[in-house]
Amino acid sequence: MIAVPTDEGPHDATEQSNWVEAWLFDVVQVDGSIALSIELLIWPQHNRAAFHASVVQTGAPLISLVELDAVAPKPPGLEIRASGLWADIGIQTALDHVTVDIESFAVQLDDPTDVFHGAYGIRTALGCELEWETDAELIAGPTINSYEVPCIVHGELLLDDRRIEIDGWGWRSHRWGVAAAGDRSESRGRQADGRWLNARSTRHATTLSVMAEAPVPDPSLDVPLWQSLVRSDTGDLVWVRRTETP
């Protein structure tokens, strides 16, 4: 689809129980030392929302935040509140400038798969004030009602008492409609020469070196969403995502 400015905000849901709307963000620091993945999902017909954020760093445990049963934001806003979580997505300039602010508590996980088994870890304050600014043309997403945007990303990330300046790049995407497994499998990142990379297939990821894993539950399909930050021999950095059905 070719997105128009009004597509950035919430859409009217159908009566189908698995109709969901999702805003997905990622960012990679220019030197690849730290990266984030953030997603808000909303089921307006059930007045329900989910939110997850993952921070991966070179040589450090995964920092994971997962909230699967929050109250849906009141349209047209995208502000979510739950125990230990406040987050807000701001459409500052449609199709050009979007912000994500978070104040929350997450956990450090030595084994990333513990996110599926209670997520017991060290409690960690997680916050951010980040901005995604469009850097190239939007592209069509994996479904009719979806689009993806390559961006320059900057702002601040807070981890406990650490304040980290983010000067990087990333993608953001928006989709709405009945959830399907094909919505979630893709690779997106940036090549070492600065060209943007976005592929529907994750097969080539087997030829890349995994730098970090950041899996999360995918409540839109009730399956795991496997997220990996990978690097190629030539220095390309890519977020790879795939779902695993039962």
Side-chain angles (χ1 to χ4, degrees):
M1 67 170 289
I2 299 176
V4 297
T6 54
D7 284 326
E8 292 271 62
H11 292 75
D12 293 331
T14 68
E15 295 181 357
Q16 294 163 293
S17 62
N18 57 344
W19 192 100
V20 64
E21 188 159 19
W23 290 260
L24 173 63
F25 300 82
D26 51 49
V27 56
V28 179
Q29 190 79 305
V30 168
D31 63 3
S33 61
I34 192 165
L36 294 86
S37 174
I38 301 167
E39 187 170 32
L40 170 66
L41 304 98
I42 300 174
W43 295 262
Q45 68 276 55
H46 302 298
N47 195 31
R48 178 191 170 203
F51 186 87
H52 62 77
S54 302
V55 181
V56 297
Q57 305 170 79
T58 303
L62 168 67
I63 296 176
S64 178
L65 163 66
V66 176
E67 170 57 62
L68 298 178
D69 198 19
V71 175
K74 183 178 180 180
L78 295 173
E79 180 183 19
I80 181 173
R81 296 178 181 270
S83 178
L85 168 64
W86 171 85
D88 189 26
I89 295 171
I91 311 300
Q92 306 301 328
T93 305
L95 305 180
D96 185 63
H97 181 200
V98 176
T99 58
V100 179
D101 297 326
I102 301 173
E103 296 177 6
S104 69
F105 286 99
V107 291
Q108 292 185 32
L109 301 176
D110 291 325
D111 180 354
T113 62
D114 283 348
V115 72
F116 304 119
H117 309 291
Y120 299 110
I122 300 174
R123 184 176 167 95
T124 302
L126 167 62
C128 72
E129 295 179 355
L130 294 172
E131 305 184 39
W132 276 256
E133 297 184 340
T134 301
D135 187 61
E137 290 188 6
L138 284 66
I139 68 170
T143 65
I144 293 175
N145 294 324
S146 65
Y147 57 91
E148 310 206 7
V149 189
C151 298
I152 298 302
V153 187
H154 56 87
E156 286 189 339
L157 171 68
L158 290 81
L159 300 175
D160 282 337
D161 58 354
R162 295 173 60 199
R163 187 178 299 271
I164 303 166
E165 291 292 330
I166 297 296
D167 179 14
W169 51 264
W171 288 80
R172 66 178 182 89
S173 57
H174 183 192
R175 62 184 173 91
W176 60 98
V178 176
D183 302 353
R184 310 296 275 153
S185 296
E186 66 173 352
S187 304
R188 62 189 199 182
R190 202 172 194 186
Q191 297 178 331
D193 61 8
R195 289 180 295 170
W196 294 101
L197 187 155
N198 190 300
R200 298 290 170 249
S201 172
T202 61
R203 290 177 297 175
H204 73 282
T206 59
T207 66
L208 306 177
S209 300
V210 175
M211 300 176 63
E213 301 276 6
V216 291
D218 181 359
S220 66
L221 295 167
D222 197 25
V223 297
L225 175 63
W226 300 100
Q227 302 185 119
S228 304
L229 182 67
V230 302
R231 184 194 295 270
S232 74
D233 292 340
T234 57
D236 304 344
L237 286 166
V238 183
W239 271 108
V240 175
R241 296 181 175 91
R242 59 184 175 83
T243 51
E244 181 179 279
T245 55

